[in-house]
Amino acid sequence: MPALPELPDAQALQVQAQENFQKVTDLMGKGQQMMMEFWSREHAATPMMPDPLGFMTTWQKAITAMMADPARLVEQQQKYMQDAMALWQRFLTPAAEKPAVKDKRFAGAAWAETPAFDFMRQSYLLASAHIMEAAHGLDGLEPAEKAQAQFLIQQYVDAMSPSNFALTNPEVLKATVDSGGANLLKGLEHLLGDLQAGRMKMTDENAFEVGRNVAITPGKVVFQNRLFQLIQYAPTTQTVFDVPLVIFPPWINKFYILDLTAEKSFIRWAVEQGITVFVVSWKNADESIADATVDTYVNEGMLAAITVVREICGSSSAIAPPVHTIGYCVAGTTLSAALAVLESRGEAAQVASATFFTAQVDFSDAGELKFFVDDPSIATMEQMIADKPVLDGRFMASTFNLLRSNDLIWNYVVNNYMLGKDYFPFDLLYWNSDATNVPARWHRQYIQEMYRDNLLAKPGGMTISGVPIDLSTVKTPAYIQGGKDDHIAPARSAFKLTKAFSGETRFVLAGSGHIAGVVNPPSANKYQHWTGDSTAATLEDFVATATETKGSWWPDWLTWLTPRSGKQVKPRVPGKGAYKAIEDAPGAYVKERI
């Protein structure tokens, strides 16, 4: 008869439990001290407003609107009770087929193994569906107020998920029993570390280093000023197109989203197609650029970069070639203004084409971010930056995360803090966590004049570089990409660029969202894209007749760009032309961290 396994010594288990309890107690004490220090550091100089974002006012209006129609409220309650009774009957009938739960918050086997937790998750999903149905039926509110109310209610519903609480999450309970509470101890350590860092970590940040395993495409920094470093990438083909490409990434993030790894890098791929690629690496804002506004990013940024690129690529010829440009997100917004400035000066020929990655110029339909740019939100922001030269990038990162709270907040609360899992190394999340500060003056102007007042879409609404901006004067050929599931620059809003300019436009709708919709190399064979009639009146009209193609849209862009790229010429070696190499890519600016 085989020997029975030796049972753990009860006294040893008790000692271990006492040690773990003491560790938790010590960590909690340390945590309280750190929380107080963090709160004092971040908020002591800024008096708290009673309703800093205006959300409580909207919430109260939503409740008033809901109570204003008692008959509809009673109807909704009766419908909920009927569905709840049907759910209860299914659980009382063992043979009854239970609906599949597709929500990934409840995908773990532990939710289905115990009837009580299975009933809990399905009850929550049922209740949340009815709450959101009621939210979409609110009357008596302005459209903007109704949309904001729906957003707030969705945030509340998401926060109250039983998966977000240790005592109602069977996976957390199982991990706690199996590990003797070690998961909670490790989770608390993660929480304290995040408080110390001032942000919620999403990945193992020690697994990556800019210039070592992300942002590794070979090149040289060939120019820099106080606002940006200009990187020229080393050619890999025998010849290159005459017309170079200069990429303007958003300065609210870092450029290496387009150069994560060799397999995902748009920059490396473009170089391999025989394009001379330049990228602007923006300065992580500090007091040296505290005075920067939209004018600064147009003149000292985009127009300066275009001039340098043309001088480098035209050093061996009598006439400097024009440049292709790409503007991503806010850089695309600003690029449109820069093109209008060039048009007004009679210098539009400097730019052969403009490509826009998930950019907006008409903010009338800008999605959920508009909930954060109303008057109460702007008043709160004014308090935050009243005496500060820059806006902390972690504030903007938290706002973006709130738009997808289940994926970008609660997912990590559960995995990192309650389950105590190790941070998973993921290059995209490392980039997402590498936030950048922005000049407070620029941010104020962008939020107020563009997002709230939509002045860029109005001819003469904004004056930049002394030029009243009228985007309808821009005749530069434009390739416009939008993301089907983009929650930051909605596809419907991006499509409006096709109506903003007077020149030729091509619109492509990419599968996925703001990041994955852009960073989708052909080799990955993921997602899809739609092409069609870019002159359609609306995005819905475009989609109705569009052709779906599996995989990346990058080859479509290359097919569009190639005829506009001139003849083949000798490759340009970084640092060998009119501008000498300052340092190796990716340069110093991108390595500055908050």
Side-chain angles (χ1 to χ4, degrees):
M1 181 176 177
L4 294 173
E6 184 176 349
L7 295 175
D9 181 69
Q11 186 175 2
L13 285 176
Q14 185 178 7
V15 171
Q16 182 183 5
Q18 289 174 343
E19 291 176 351
N20 283 346
F21 179 78
Q22 186 60 48
K23 287 180 181 179
V24 171
T25 303
D26 293 342
L27 282 170
M28 289 181 68
K30 181 182 178 182
Q32 287 180 328
Q33 180 182 354
M34 289 177 62
M35 287 179 187
M36 291 300 297
E37 292 174 354
F38 177 78
W39 179 263
S40 299
R41 183 174 70 248
E42 298 294 326
H43 301 286
T46 305
M48 181 58 68
M49 299 174 68
D51 187 9
L53 298 178
F55 285 177
M56 287 302 299
T57 301
T58 302
W59 186 268
Q60 291 166 357
K61 288 183 178 179
I63 294 176
T64 301
M66 191 175 296
M67 300 302 294
D69 190 350
R72 175 182 288 181
L73 185 60
V74 170
E75 181 184 355
Q76 188 74 43
Q77 290 173 336
Q78 290 176 341
K79 185 178 179 183
Y80 168 71
M81 290 302 298
Q82 290 172 358
D83 290 345
M85 287 300 297
L87 175 63
W88 180 243
Q89 287 296 325
R90 286 198 299 271
F91 271 85
L92 291 179
T93 309
E97 182 179 352
K98 296 180 176 64
V101 176
K102 299 179 180 180
D103 194 313
K104 60 184 179 182
R105 292 174 294 178
F106 307 107
W111 287 99
E113 290 171 350
T114 305
F117 287 112
D118 190 13
F119 182 75
M120 183 185 296
R121 65 172 175 170
Q122 298 208 41
S123 296
Y124 163 77
L125 292 171
L126 175 64
S128 60
H130 277 273
I131 290 172
M132 292 312 303
E133 182 180 341
H136 286 280
L138 290 174
D139 292 328
L141 298 178
E142 295 294 327
E145 291 176 332
K146 183 176 180 179
Q148 188 178 59
Q150 291 166 359
F151 173 78
L152 293 175
I153 293 169
Q154 185 68 66
Q155 294 299 315
Y156 171 78
V157 167
D158 291 344
M160 295 307 294
S161 169
S163 60
N164 297 336
F165 301 90
L167 293 179
T168 54
N169 187 324
E171 295 178 297
V172 174
L173 293 174
K174 184 177 185 301
T176 303
V177 172
D178 292 346
S179 69
N183 60 308
L184 299 179
L185 181 62
K186 193 170 185 179
L188 187 55
E189 291 174 344
H190 287 162
L191 173 60
L192 297 183
D194 288 357
L195 281 172
Q196 194 166 31
R199 65 181 186 278
M200 177 184 287
K201 295 189 185 74
M202 299 179 178
T203 186
D204 180 4
E205 297 183 0
N206 295 321
F208 301 98
E209 182 182 351
V210 174
R212 177 174 63 85
N213 54 2
V214 291
I216 58 173
T217 299
K220 302 287 184 182
V221 174
V222 293
F223 174 83
Q224 71 179 44
N225 61 19
R226 66 174 186 146
L227 203 62
F228 71 92
Q229 288 188 315
L230 183 66
I231 302 170
Q232 180 182 357
Y233 288 93
T236 59
T237 53
Q238 295 298 313
T239 60
V240 297
F241 290 106
D242 185 36
V243 179
L245 169 68
V246 55
I247 301 174
F248 298 107
W251 44 90
I252 61 175
N253 301 111
K254 294 187 176 179
F255 81 85
Y256 64 90
I257 185 57
L258 298 175
D259 192 26
L260 282 176
T261 62
E263 297 77 21
K264 301 175 185 176
S265 174
F266 176 84
I267 292 170
R268 182 182 292 265
W269 178 84
V271 169
E272 291 171 350
Q273 310 314 307
I275 301 173
T276 303
V277 178
F278 294 81
V279 170
V280 166
S281 175
W282 301 104
K283 173 76 173 175
N284 196 337
D286 57 21
E287 292 187 1
S288 68
I289 59 171
D291 63 329
T293 62
V294 174
D295 286 55
T296 313
Y297 280 94
V298 168
N299 289 310
E300 295 183 44
M302 294 182 170
L303 299 185
I306 289 171
T307 297
V308 172
V309 169
R310 296 186 72 229
E311 288 176 352
I312 290 174
C313 294
S315 60
S316 60
S317 60
I319 301 176
V323 301
H324 294 306
T325 57
I326 293 177
Y328 194 161
C329 190
V330 298
T333 304
T334 309
L335 176 60
S336 70
L339 294 174
V341 170
L342 289 175
E343 192 74 48
S344 73
R345 295 175 178 174
E347 300 173 352
Q350 293 184 17
V351 179
S353 76
T355 296
F356 297 88
F357 291 172
T358 63
Q360 304 175 90
V361 295
D362 182 341
F363 291 84
S364 59
D365 200 7
E368 293 178 338
L369 274 178
K370 293 204 72 172
F371 302 151
F372 299 89
V373 295
D374 55 8
D375 290 340
S377 301
I378 290 175
T380 299
M381 183 190 69
E382 291 287 355
Q383 280 198 336
M384 291 176 59
I385 62 178
D387 300 316
K388 297 177 182 178
V390 300
L391 178 66
D392 193 321
R394 292 170 294 186
F395 173 79
M396 286 192 296
S398 298
T399 301
F400 290 137
N401 291 345
L402 196 60
L403 300 183
R404 291 176 56 197
S405 58
N406 280 335
D407 292 331
L408 297 177
I409 296 178
W410 298 115
N411 174 52
Y412 297 101
V413 169
V414 174
N415 286 317
N416 298 347
Y417 300 158
M418 291 194 284
L419 291 174
K421 291 183 178 180
D422 291 329
Y423 295 106
F424 183 77
F426 187 16
D427 51 13
L428 177 59
L429 290 178
Y430 175 78
W431 167 84
N432 190 57
S433 300
D434 192 5
T436 57
N437 297 330
V438 296
R441 289 186 63 188
W442 169 81
H443 189 264
R444 182 185 297 112
Q445 184 182 16
Y446 179 67
I447 292 299
Q448 293 183 359
E449 296 184 14
M450 295 186 182
Y451 249 101
R452 185 189 67 182
D453 300 336
N454 203 22
L455 296 182
L456 187 60
K458 302 172 183 177
M462 295 184 71
T463 297
I464 298 174
S465 302
V467 176
I469 299 300
D470 183 354
L471 298 183
S472 67
T473 64
V474 175
K475 304 178 187 66
T476 305
Y479 186 100
I480 301 161
Q481 178 268 341
K484 177 177 175 288
D485 303 316
D486 197 328
H487 62 290
I488 294 174
R492 183 179 291 106
S493 187
F495 184 78
K496 293 183 178 183
L497 269 83
T498 63
K499 308 296 175 275
F501 308 133
S502 57
E504 171 199 353
T505 61
R506 179 173 178 80
F507 182 79
V508 172
L509 181 63
S512 198
H514 198 70
I515 303 301
V518 173
V519 185
N520 183 25
S523 59
N525 197 28
K526 292 177 64 178
Y527 307 125
Q528 69 280 100
H529 62 278
W530 291 265
T531 54
D533 181 10
S534 299
T535 66
T538 66
L539 176 67
E540 290 73 18
D541 292 336
F542 170 87
V543 171
T545 60
T547 300
E548 179 179 347
T549 303
K550 298 297 183 183
S552 173
W553 56 269
W554 295 4
D556 181 84
W557 172 78
L558 185 65
T559 299
W560 180 87
L561 196 75
T562 298
R564 298 168 172 81
S565 300
K567 62 184 180 180
Q568 293 289 309
V569 299
K570 292 181 179 180
R572 294 117 172 179
V573 179
K576 300 297 184 182
Y579 290 78
K580 304 305 178 185
I582 297 172
E583 61 179 319
D584 289 336
Y589 281 9
V590 73
K591 296 180 181 179
E592 297 173 355
R593 291 181 64 90
I594 297 177

